[in-house]
Amino acid sequence: LNERQTSELIAKAELEQSTAVNKLVHENEMLRLRAETTQSQAETRVQQLSTQLEEVKAELAATRREAKSQLNELEVLRREHDRSSRSHSESARDCELLRSELGQAKRRMAQLEREV
């Protein structure tokens, strides 16, 4: 090869190398921009999910409070029902006792009437 051909080959190689470097720099910049965008989107999504999580926690706490309140109300109603049930049972026993006493009194009156 002569000096001119060698210079041309060197120039061509340098041009190819420069083109390849420029292409790699451009690809690298595009990847960096894409990574920044993806990271920004991920950070935004994490923030959205964190906000949703806090909202769900607040709703859960409110639901727990409401459930506890309802459970307390049910316990009060159960106690009232138990008292009412006991009272009803006692009233029924008293009624049976009075019926029995009334029957005895009627029998005694009938016996007295027969004796008179």
Side-chain angles (χ1 to χ4, degrees):
L1 292 173
N2 63 32
E3 192 176 315
R4 193 179 65 113
Q5 290 174 326
T6 302
S7 292
E8 286 176 358
L9 284 175
I10 291 172
K12 184 179 176 185
E14 286 175 347
L15 180 62
E16 288 175 358
Q17 182 181 13
S18 175
T19 301
V21 166
N22 287 338
K23 183 178 177 183
L24 289 173
V25 166
H26 177 73
E27 286 178 17
N28 187 45
E29 182 63 16
M30 295 305 293
L31 288 173
R32 186 187 65 74
L33 289 173
R34 192 176 310 142
E36 286 177 1
T37 300
T38 302
Q39 181 179 356
S40 175
Q41 290 170 342
E43 288 170 354
T44 299
R45 185 67 180 141
V46 165
Q47 186 58 44
Q48 290 171 342
L49 291 173
S50 294
T51 301
Q52 288 176 352
L53 177 60
E54 291 306 314
E55 290 170 357
V56 168
K57 283 180 179 180
E59 288 176 21
L60 179 59
T63 301
R64 282 183 178 156
R65 285 190 301 274
E66 180 64 24
K68 189 173 182 179
S69 173
Q70 289 177 355
L71 190 60
N72 289 339
E73 289 176 24
L74 285 173
E75 182 61 24
V76 167
L77 290 173
R78 185 193 61 76
R79 280 191 231 117
E80 288 175 2
H81 176 267
D82 288 350
R83 274 194 296 273
S84 174
S85 186
R86 280 192 300 273
S87 176
H88 176 73
S89 296
E90 291 168 3
S91 295
R93 281 191 299 272
D94 290 346
C95 186
E96 284 301 316
L97 183 61
L98 290 172
R99 279 191 188 129
S100 174
E101 290 174 3
L102 179 61
Q104 289 174 0
K106 283 181 179 180
R107 285 189 296 278
R108 179 75 177 136
M109 275 184 67
Q111 182 183 2
L112 289 173
E113 286 177 359
R114 282 191 301 270
E115 291 174 4
V116 171

